[in-house]
Amino acid sequence: MTVLEINQLKKTIGGRELLRIAHLQVQEGQRIGLVGKNGEGKTTLLRILNGEEKPEEGMVSVQGTTALLPQLKRTDTVKSGGEITAEYVTKAMEAQSKLLLADEPTTNLDTSHVEWVEKELKRFNGALVVVSHDRQLLDAVCDTIWELESGNITVYTGNYSQYIEQKQRERQHQQTEYEKYKYKERQLTNALEQKKQKAVKATKAPKKVSPSEARITGAKPYFAKKQKKLNQGAKAIQTRLEKLEEVEKPKDHAPVKMDLPNERAFKDKIILRVEGLEGKIGDKRLWKPATFFVKGGDKIGIIGPNGSGKTTLLKRILEADEAGVYRSPAMKIGYFAQNLSVLNPEKTILENVSQDSHQSETLIRTVLARLHFYQEDVHKPVSVLSGGERVKVSLAKLFVSDSNTLVLDEPTNYLDVYALEALEDLLREYEGTVLFVSHDRRFVSAIATRILSLEEGELTLFDGDYEAFQTRDQKKERDTTEDRLLMVETAIADVLSRLSLNPTEELDKEFQRLLKEKQALQSN
């Protein structure tokens, strides 16, 4: 059953055609992830589907009721972001709408609240259209992806990871078609050049004709027809070359190799020592005294619930005279804290990012291109950019700054999924140190080589990536199970030896009990 249908929808904002959708349907129970770059119109589309905005043209037909989880939650409250989101989600669930529209429902939530929202969306029985930069949520919840680009929507079957696989196949196909196009272009160009050269040679007198005869008759009696034929052939090739349908080359990711200050002095050396550092705000203790160290080149993901003290920890590390924090003189820090005041809105993207950078313009342009600011885009003034685009410019500015250690406080907020993946690629290639706070599970998994965890008042550095951190309790449980299994097998061997010498009912019962325990342990 169709719960929503779009026909010939058109929406224009400020003279710009934002949406033009010929036909689209949402089926009962369908789970759709709506993805697209910042500023493409995802929120506007949700508002149109919910009846809050009207398109200039077209129709949106809805069978049943809709509910919207808005991106911007109310602020006239002392409740936390997680509590407010939970309230919205619960209200939407209770309404039992046929269609739920969710606009970035996990923004500013910690991991536990994100997982709760994910669970509730999976539990929802109606159709769902969700905008989210949380790729793990899109994988867990969605069976369809709508890609919004240049006003049009392309439909992909599957979750986000399957969508990415399909996009990669499309890119590979485009690369193959581009290579075929370039081969054909070279082939026709070479053939054209050969025809032209032969036509030129056809104007020369043949060797067997005397000069006097050539002056009287020219080369025409002998070569005129051949020259004409060659020129016709060249013209035909030229026409084929002009009509050859051009195939655009897929954009390649140029590698980024930066000159980092003090590189020899910090690489793989301890650049930060924290000894007995306690987290307190007034009388409130955030964490007990903690000790850990950071090496040059480490990529440390700082995780924990909202209010646990992650930002406080970053600020303590950044303070020059903080007791218990010892920084190497080789350490040069660049800090990102969602503070976009570092940008001059009257200057261009390139001017902002280049300011105070010692990197070459070629590298700066490469970094900007990796964050999807191509060619003439870099000359746009910052004042015309969306919030997400300004975040990308701020990150680019930090990335090419004169630093070898990046400290990032929630860098993924307000970035679309494409920008997120581009930032991941840049940070993976970055040879300096990175300390970052994030609730984006896939981002942490992609970047972190070590995990700094703030849980229940304990600040602990885990020497391993996020996947190993998540399974650490399971490993402890496995180790405990293996130890217990070894003890049971030893006890069975002892009981068997005693049974062989002096069988009793008590020993037989003990043997049977140990066998059952062994089977239970092996089945876990």
Side-chain angles (χ1 to χ4, degrees):
M1 175 183 170
T2 301
V3 297
L4 182 142
E5 186 169 8
I6 298 172
N7 282 299
Q8 304 302 325
L9 183 144
K10 178 183 174 183
K11 178 69 174 179
T12 303
I13 294 181
R16 174 195 166 200
E17 187 176 88
L18 190 66
L19 300 168
R20 179 175 284 280
I21 302 170
H23 184 253
L24 209 56
Q25 289 183 330
V26 178
Q27 303 300 324
E28 190 173 20
Q30 194 172 10
R31 328 293 298 223
I32 298 165
L34 176 58
V35 301
K37 293 179 183 177
N38 291 328
E40 285 284 354
K42 300 185 294 293
T43 295
T44 300
L45 178 58
L46 289 191
R47 289 175 60 84
I48 290 173
L49 300 186
N50 196 47
E52 296 179 29
E53 287 194 32
K54 298 294 183 185
E56 283 86 48
E57 297 177 13
M59 295 286 295
V60 177
S61 305
V62 181
Q63 301 298 319
T65 57
T66 63
L68 175 67
L69 291 176
Q71 183 177 6
L72 301 175
K73 312 297 191 297
R74 67 173 186 265
T75 56
D76 57 340
T77 178
V78 294
K79 293 180 180 179
S80 70
E83 289 171 329
I84 296 169
T85 299
E87 189 176 293
Y88 274 89
V89 172
T90 302
K91 185 178 178 181
M93 295 297 178
E94 289 174 350
Q96 295 184 333
S97 303
K98 283 284 187 181
L99 175 63
L100 176 61
L101 308 168
D103 193 0
E104 295 287 5
T106 63
T107 299
N108 297 322
L109 300 187
D110 59 32
T111 303
S112 62
H113 284 100
V114 169
E115 290 172 347
W116 180 84
V117 170
E118 184 179 293
K119 181 181 175 182
E120 291 300 300
L121 292 179
K122 289 170 72 174
R123 192 170 64 86
F124 179 65
N125 290 323
L128 170 70
V129 178
V130 57
V131 173
S132 180
H133 64 265
D134 190 315
R135 294 155 293 173
Q136 196 158 326
L137 181 141
L138 293 174
D139 268 352
V141 171
C142 299
D143 56 35
T144 305
I145 297 295
W146 284 358
E147 180 190 66
L148 178 56
E149 184 177 18
S150 302
N152 299 307
I153 284 183
T154 305
V155 179
Y156 293 84
T157 301
N159 62 17
Y160 183 79
S161 291
Q162 291 164 333
Y163 154 73
I164 290 298
E165 289 173 7
Q166 292 174 71
K167 293 290 287 183
Q168 288 171 343
R169 286 196 295 271
E170 287 178 3
R171 189 182 187 282
Q172 289 168 358
H173 176 72
Q174 185 182 358
Q175 181 66 35
T176 301
E177 292 302 306
Y178 173 76
E179 289 169 1
K180 287 180 182 177
Y181 158 71
K182 295 303 289 184
Y183 174 78
K184 191 66 177 177
E185 183 185 46
R186 286 194 302 270
Q187 193 180 45
L188 290 172
T189 301
N190 291 338
L192 178 61
E193 186 61 30
Q194 288 174 7
K195 290 285 186 186
K196 286 181 176 179
Q197 288 176 4
K198 287 181 179 180
V200 170
K201 288 179 181 178
T203 63
K204 298 177 181 178
K207 292 180 180 178
K208 293 181 180 180
V209 177
S210 66
S212 59
E213 187 180 352
R215 281 195 299 273
I216 296 168
T217 63
K220 289 182 181 179
Y222 191 83
F223 274 95
K225 289 183 179 180
K226 186 174 182 181
Q227 187 183 38
K228 183 178 180 182
K229 188 175 180 181
L230 287 168
N231 283 330
Q232 287 174 340
K235 189 174 181 180
I237 293 172
Q238 180 70 48
T239 301
R240 286 176 64 192
L241 191 57
E242 290 170 356
K243 289 184 176 180
L244 187 63
E245 188 174 346
E246 185 175 357
V247 177
E248 185 179 352
K249 182 181 180 180
K251 289 185 174 69
D252 291 323
H253 291 321
V256 174
K257 173 61 179 173
M258 304 180 65
D259 295 322
L260 300 178
N262 308 326
E263 189 164 357
R264 290 185 179 180
F266 84 90
K267 190 67 176 177
D268 295 324
K269 296 179 175 64
I270 294 176
I271 58 170
L272 174 68
R273 285 187 296 115
V274 173
E275 296 180 358
L277 183 68
E278 184 180 23
K280 290 187 75 175
I281 297 180
D283 296 330
K284 181 184 178 183
R285 176 192 262 184
L286 297 172
W287 68 82
K288 300 173 187 175
T291 298
F292 62 89
F293 66 87
V294 176
K295 283 186 175 182
D298 278 348
K299 293 183 172 63
I300 296 181
I302 303 172
I303 63 172
N306 287 337
S308 61
K310 300 183 296 298
T311 298
T312 300
L313 173 63
L314 290 186
K315 289 180 178 177
R316 298 282 293 277
I317 289 172
L318 290 169
E319 290 172 4
D321 301 320
E322 179 64 41
V325 178
Y326 306 94
R327 300 195 323 232
S328 164
M331 189 178 182
K332 300 196 74 173
I333 297 176
Y335 181 50
F336 175 84
Q338 296 286 0
N339 180 6
L340 304 185
S341 62
V342 297
L343 302 179
N344 183 336
E346 303 309 315
K347 289 187 176 182
T348 68
I349 294 171
L350 184 60
E351 288 170 340
N352 270 283
V353 176
S354 300
Q355 188 177 1
D356 303 324
S357 175
H358 298 305
Q359 306 296 335
S360 67
E361 183 174 330
T362 299
L363 187 137
I364 291 170
R365 280 178 170 270
T366 297
V367 170
L368 287 169
R370 293 283 293 273
L371 290 169
H372 306 140
F373 293 113
Y374 300 111
Q375 298 173 357
E376 295 306 308
D377 288 345
V378 302
H379 298 301
K380 288 180 181 177
V382 165
S383 58
V384 304
L385 302 181
S386 67
E389 288 173 323
R390 293 189 188 203
V391 169
K392 290 196 294 182
V393 175
S394 297
L395 287 166
K397 183 179 176 69
L398 178 69
F399 199 78
V400 301
S401 65
D402 188 30
S403 58
N404 55 33
T405 301
L406 304 182
V407 178
L408 312 174
D409 194 1
E410 291 288 0
T412 62
N413 285 351
Y414 311 111
L415 293 182
D416 58 55
V417 289
Y418 312 114
L420 265 176
E421 289 168 352
L423 179 60
E424 284 175 358
D425 288 341
L426 284 172
L427 290 176
R428 274 195 293 260
E429 294 173 23
Y430 183 67
E431 294 182 358
T433 310
V434 182
L435 289 88
F436 67 97
V437 172
S438 181
H439 295 300
D440 189 307
R441 296 161 291 175
R442 191 158 294 184
F443 185 80
V444 176
S445 182
I447 304 302
T449 57
R450 304 170 80 192
I451 300 295
L452 193 54
S453 169
L454 266 164
E455 293 180 310
E456 299 177 352
E458 297 279 353
L459 178 57
T460 309
L461 184 61
F462 177 78
D463 198 13
D465 61 16
Y466 188 56
E467 184 178 355
F469 175 80
Q470 287 180 304
T471 58
R472 70 198 188 285
D473 292 334
Q474 296 172 16
K475 184 178 184 301
K476 287 178 185 176
E477 190 176 320
R478 284 197 303 272
D479 292 345
T480 304
T481 301
E482 288 171 5
D483 291 342
R484 179 60 187 162
L485 185 59
L486 184 61
M487 292 174 62
V488 169
E489 287 174 341
T490 303
I492 287 173
D494 177 63
V495 169
L496 280 173
S497 64
R498 289 190 301 172
L499 273 171
S500 63
L501 296 172
N502 184 25
T504 65
E505 186 178 345
E506 288 77 12
L507 279 176
D508 186 63
K509 285 181 179 179
E510 177 66 6
F511 177 69
Q512 296 300 326
R513 184 190 70 76
L514 288 168
L515 276 180
K516 286 181 179 178
E517 185 175 355
K518 179 182 177 180
Q519 290 169 352
L521 288 168
Q522 288 177 328
S523 64
N524 287 340

